[in-house]
Amino acid sequence: MAQSQSVAHYISDSENDIDMEIQPSGNTETVKRKKQNRRKWIPLCTYNDKDDIINKIKNDVKWRGKQCPAGIHLLYHSENECITMYKTEDDHLHQESRSIGINQQSKEVICELFKMKIKPKHMLELLEEKGLPVPKKQQLSNYLTSLREKCYGTSTISLGELEAWCQQNSFIPDDDDKPWVLKYQIEYEDEINNDNDDDNVSNDDDDKNKFRFFVTTKRLLFNASISNKIHVDAIYKLIWQEFPCFIIGTTDMIKQFHPYGFAVCSNEKEKDFEFIFSCICDGLRNLNLQMNEQELVLIADGAEAISNAFSKVFGTDHNIVMCWFHMRKCVEKKLNLVEDKALHNEIMNDIETLQLSKNKKTFNIATRLFLKKWEKQERCIQYLSSEWLESKNGWYEGLSMYVPSTNNALEATNRMIKDEDTLRERLVLSRFTVVIFSIVNKWSKERNPTLINSKIFEHQPSITLSHWTDAYNWVKLNKEVISISNDDTTTYYLPAGEEITITGKEIKRYETYFYLYRSWSHHKLLRLDQQLAEVYSQSSTYKIYLSLLTINIISFIDNHL
């Protein structure tokens, strides 16, 4: 507490008292002192506590500039702990110094923009538009660093701290949209070494610390019980330590992606994918739900770690669809194996024709003819045979119905994470644990059916206006449609061109020629245009649903047959 006391004034020499003039005189020098300037000190008050006077100086005292006559002086009393503050009679002669750091109002705006995940460059532009003091780029960077630490925590995390975080968040919540750690595995280096010694296993990558954890919600897991498709892929450039992240989910009948959850692992190997697939099974079991494993299909790239892990968890009696986009990109990079560049487009066109095969039998016949046609291009054919025709050959359309031929829906989700959630900035693992909960929570809330713009899982293909128009115009032609059922597939035959009817003899002739290809050119001639459609009767009215996601095949018979 400050206490005012009467204190005598005193006078001291000015800082300029040291000024002097030296004049040489013969062999001696005469020192002539200037007249000393005296400064008169006026007491302000006396404090009993040192902290009080220090706070007074920090908050209220105006700092003097260079060569400014104004000043303050503190006198510590020898007989007690009191401190007296003096000031000079002179006023400040310098201009007001500018404030240090970022303006307080600018800080408040920056905090709001940070919560909105606005990039630093855009922050500076918005501050300038609002007419607020714009900080330097380095000042803004330092302030954002402190905000990240306040929001996401420290930048380092040990394996033990990660295990404690997983254990703390491993309880199933009551809220359908609240994320939790469904499953986690922490393997310490010393424990791994002991296991390797027992099993006599030696692997440089297997004797390091490992971690795996999977985050999901009840709502996201529910979609796994109503779908028979699994999309999975790894995503990088999210974590500063370069740990891979994994997204697993499914697509509905309009090819809209629905994630099951988000996983982070220390590696991208078969065991890591096996962990992710097992998480789906364990999560459904915990919620008393069940997956339709009989018709389960995997859509992924050509990584053997994914397909091997899928087979271990769900068995080998399932189709594995190779992403057509990835396959095409890989083949395009290898076209340089063919020296004649004029043949590149023709080879790709033939591969695209091969991709449109309606079933495995057609694909095998077309593959044999394709290899025969290009047998002279030995290097290219050797690559295609070993890589895409013998082992990873699940990239043709007829492998599985109702299944997308690409993994593009999942890839689009990966891009959204980088653009909207991380702003393409790599976060350290300790802070990414906060972001991953935010991402999964957002995914789950977007699929809440009570919301207006909810992402509903569609069980039927969407019919666009153009499809309805084409179907209406086709129905007006009154063409005869003949259906032949075989197991779980129904094939519909209809006349091509201007013909109205079709006979059984023409159908038999078509089937005979279809599988008796003599050359690749013959195959392309008889392949004919194919559309996938669903035809059924309702209220005595035929409705034609033109969609690429239905099981029934309409084969158009060309006039030349």
Side-chain angles (χ1 to χ4, degrees):
M1 181 72 93
Q3 297 181 355
S4 299
Q5 300 179 6
S6 178
V7 182
H9 296 195
Y10 77 95
I11 299 175
S12 69
D13 294 337
S14 170
E15 291 180 352
N16 296 328
D17 289 350
I18 60 174
D19 293 344
M20 59 186 65
E21 183 178 352
I22 303 176
Q23 298 180 352
S25 177
N27 296 331
T28 62
E29 292 182 353
T30 303
V31 179
K32 183 178 180 181
R33 290 184 175 273
K34 290 184 178 180
K35 185 177 180 180
Q36 295 180 349
N37 296 325
R38 302 286 184 175
R39 291 197 295 176
K40 186 175 182 180
W41 296 91
I42 301 174
L44 294 178
C45 54
T46 300
Y47 293 84
N48 294 327
D49 188 359
K50 180 176 68 175
D51 295 334
D52 292 340
I53 195 169
I54 292 176
N55 293 332
K56 172 72 174 177
I57 294 173
K58 288 182 178 180
N59 299 329
D60 300 336
V61 174
K62 181 180 178 181
W63 295 94
R64 65 189 291 255
K66 187 177 181 180
Q67 302 299 326
C68 178
I72 62 171
H73 178 71
L74 299 181
L75 175 63
Y76 288 78
H77 296 263
S78 59
E79 63 276 9
N80 53 43
E81 296 182 354
C82 295
I83 305 172
T84 302
M85 178 186 291
Y86 290 85
K87 68 179 290 289
T88 60
E89 291 181 331
D90 302 308
D91 296 327
H92 290 275
L93 300 179
H94 61 89
Q95 295 180 352
E96 184 72 25
S97 61
R98 58 182 179 179
S99 59
I100 301 175
I102 302 177
N103 179 271
Q104 183 61 34
Q105 191 175 1
S106 298
K107 283 185 178 181
E108 296 175 358
V109 175
I110 292 173
C111 288
E112 293 298 326
L113 297 177
F114 175 77
K115 294 178 182 178
M116 296 169 60
K117 298 182 179 179
I118 303 298
K119 292 187 177 182
K121 183 178 179 181
H122 195 197
M123 287 183 182
L124 297 175
E125 296 174 354
L126 293 176
L127 290 174
E128 189 172 358
E129 291 178 4
K130 294 177 180 293
L132 297 174
V134 180
K136 295 180 179 179
K137 291 183 180 180
Q138 187 61 43
Q139 287 180 318
L140 178 61
S141 177
N142 295 338
Y143 185 61
L144 291 177
T145 300
S146 63
L147 285 179
R148 291 190 188 98
E149 184 171 356
K150 182 179 179 181
C151 181
Y152 302 129
T154 59
S155 59
T156 58
I157 186 172
S158 65
L159 204 60
E161 291 172 337
L162 180 62
E163 183 177 12
W165 176 82
C166 292
Q167 185 176 5
Q168 182 181 357
N169 294 278
S170 60
F171 300 100
I172 302 177
D174 296 330
D175 189 350
D176 291 343
D177 297 321
K178 186 176 181 181
W180 91 94
V181 179
L182 189 154
K183 189 177 180 180
Y184 67 92
Q185 292 179 356
I186 306 294
E187 300 178 8
Y188 294 93
E189 184 176 352
D190 52 352
E191 297 176 356
I192 298 174
N193 289 334
N194 292 335
D195 294 339
N196 289 344
D197 293 339
D198 296 337
D199 299 336
N200 295 323
V201 176
S202 177
N203 193 322
D204 294 338
D205 294 332
D206 289 341
D207 59 359
K208 298 179 182 179
N209 293 329
K210 292 185 180 63
F211 66 86
R212 307 177 185 98
F213 63 89
F214 186 88
V215 180
T216 185
T217 67
K218 290 182 178 180
R219 194 183 306 279
L220 295 181
L221 272 181
F222 175 77
N223 287 334
S225 64
I226 60 176
S227 177
N228 65 330
K229 300 183 289 291
I230 292 183
H231 295 254
V232 66
D233 193 18
I235 175 174
Y236 281 87
K237 298 182 180 180
L238 293 181
I239 301 178
W240 183 78
Q241 292 93 336
E242 298 184 354
F243 294 128
C245 302
F246 302 87
I247 299 178
I248 184 172
T250 187
T251 48
D252 57 19
M253 293 298 288
I254 62 173
K255 299 182 182 181
Q256 183 177 231
F257 182 72
H258 298 273
Y260 295 157
F262 202 122
V264 180
C265 303
S266 53
N267 291 315
E268 187 188 359
K269 295 190 174 183
E270 184 177 323
K271 289 184 179 180
D272 301 295
F273 286 103
E274 188 176 344
F275 165 81
I276 295 171
F277 291 132
S278 64
C279 284
I280 304 301
C281 299
D282 295 342
L284 292 175
R285 193 179 302 111
N286 294 338
L287 299 179
N288 295 323
L289 298 173
Q290 190 174 1
M291 177 183 288
N292 181 14
E293 296 187 12
Q294 293 182 352
E295 301 178 357
L296 199 60
V297 179
L298 172 68
I299 303 97
D301 56 25
E304 294 184 359
I306 300 178
S307 56
N308 292 341
F310 179 80
S311 300
K312 281 187 176 181
V313 176
F314 299 106
T316 58
D317 298 331
H318 301 287
N319 288 330
I320 298 179
V321 175
M322 171 64 204
C323 177
W324 163 238
F325 177 81
H326 282 84
M327 184 270 179
R328 180 186 175 90
K329 288 295 182 183
C330 292
V331 172
E332 287 177 346
K333 294 179 181 178
K334 291 294 185 177
L335 286 178
N336 56 2
L337 296 175
V338 179
E339 297 180 359
D340 188 357
K341 294 184 179 180
L343 299 177
H344 290 183
N345 288 336
E346 185 178 355
I347 293 175
M348 285 307 305
N349 288 336
D350 288 349
I351 292 176
E352 290 173 358
T353 302
L354 195 60
Q355 195 267 338
L356 293 176
S357 300
K358 69 174 185 178
N359 51 43
K360 187 175 182 180
K361 183 177 181 181
T362 305
F363 179 77
N364 291 337
I365 295 174
T367 298
R368 176 173 52 82
L369 298 176
F370 173 82
L371 294 176
K372 183 178 180 181
K373 175 182 178 180
W374 297 104
E375 59 185 356
K376 293 183 180 180
Q377 306 297 332
E378 295 181 359
R379 295 173 60 195
C380 181
I381 290 300
Q382 183 179 1
Y383 164 75
L384 291 173
S385 299
S386 60
E387 193 71 19
W388 304 112
L389 299 177
E390 295 176 1
S391 57
K392 305 172 186 176
N393 56 4
W395 45 270
Y396 60 93
E397 288 289 345
L399 179 64
S400 293
M401 293 299 175
Y402 300 99
V403 176
S405 57
T406 68
N407 219 9
N408 292 348
L410 188 151
E411 296 289 350
T413 303
N414 292 350
R415 180 176 179 180
M416 293 291 290
I417 293 174
K418 294 179 180 179
D419 289 343
E420 297 182 0
D421 297 305
T422 65
L423 304 179
R424 297 199 172 272
E425 294 182 6
R426 302 190 187 191
L427 302 177
V428 292
L429 179 60
S430 59
R431 295 176 179 175
F432 191 75
T433 54
V434 179
V435 175
I436 191 175
F437 264 52
S438 175
I439 293 173
V440 174
N441 178 252
K442 181 182 70 173
W443 286 346
S444 186
K445 288 183 176 179
E446 287 175 346
R447 287 155 181 83
N448 189 338
T450 61
L451 300 180
I452 297 177
N453 299 317
S454 175
K455 294 182 178 180
I456 304 298
F457 191 96
E458 300 291 347
H459 296 275
Q460 293 294 334
S462 62
I463 311 300
T464 64
L465 180 60
S466 62
H467 286 160
W468 280 113
T469 304
D470 293 339
Y472 174 75
N473 292 330
W474 185 86
V475 169
K476 289 196 304 181
L477 298 176
N478 292 322
K479 286 180 176 286
E480 180 184 10
V481 179
I482 298 178
S483 64
I484 299 178
S485 299
N486 183 12
D487 295 332
D488 58 348
T489 301
T490 301
T491 303
Y492 294 87
Y493 298 90
L494 61 151
E498 298 179 356
E499 298 294 331
I500 301 298
T501 61
I502 184 173
T503 64
K505 183 179 180 180
E506 290 174 324
I507 294 176
K508 186 176 180 180
R509 186 156 55 97
Y510 166 78
E511 292 291 345
T512 302
Y513 279 110
F514 197 83
Y515 295 110
L516 293 178
Y517 304 129
R518 294 293 182 266
S519 65
W520 176 258
S521 58
H522 189 201
H523 163 70
K524 293 190 70 173
L525 179 64
L526 297 182
R527 180 179 57 82
L528 309 179
D529 295 331
Q530 297 178 358
Q531 282 184 310
L532 302 178
E534 180 178 1
V535 184
Y536 63 92
S537 177
Q538 182 177 356
S539 302
S540 301
T541 303
Y542 280 99
K543 294 185 178 180
I544 311 286
Y545 290 89
L546 303 178
S547 172
L548 295 179
L549 295 175
T550 179
I551 193 171
N552 304 313
I553 300 179
I554 296 180
S555 300
F556 292 89
I557 309 300
D558 205 308
N559 289 327
H560 68 273
L561 290 181

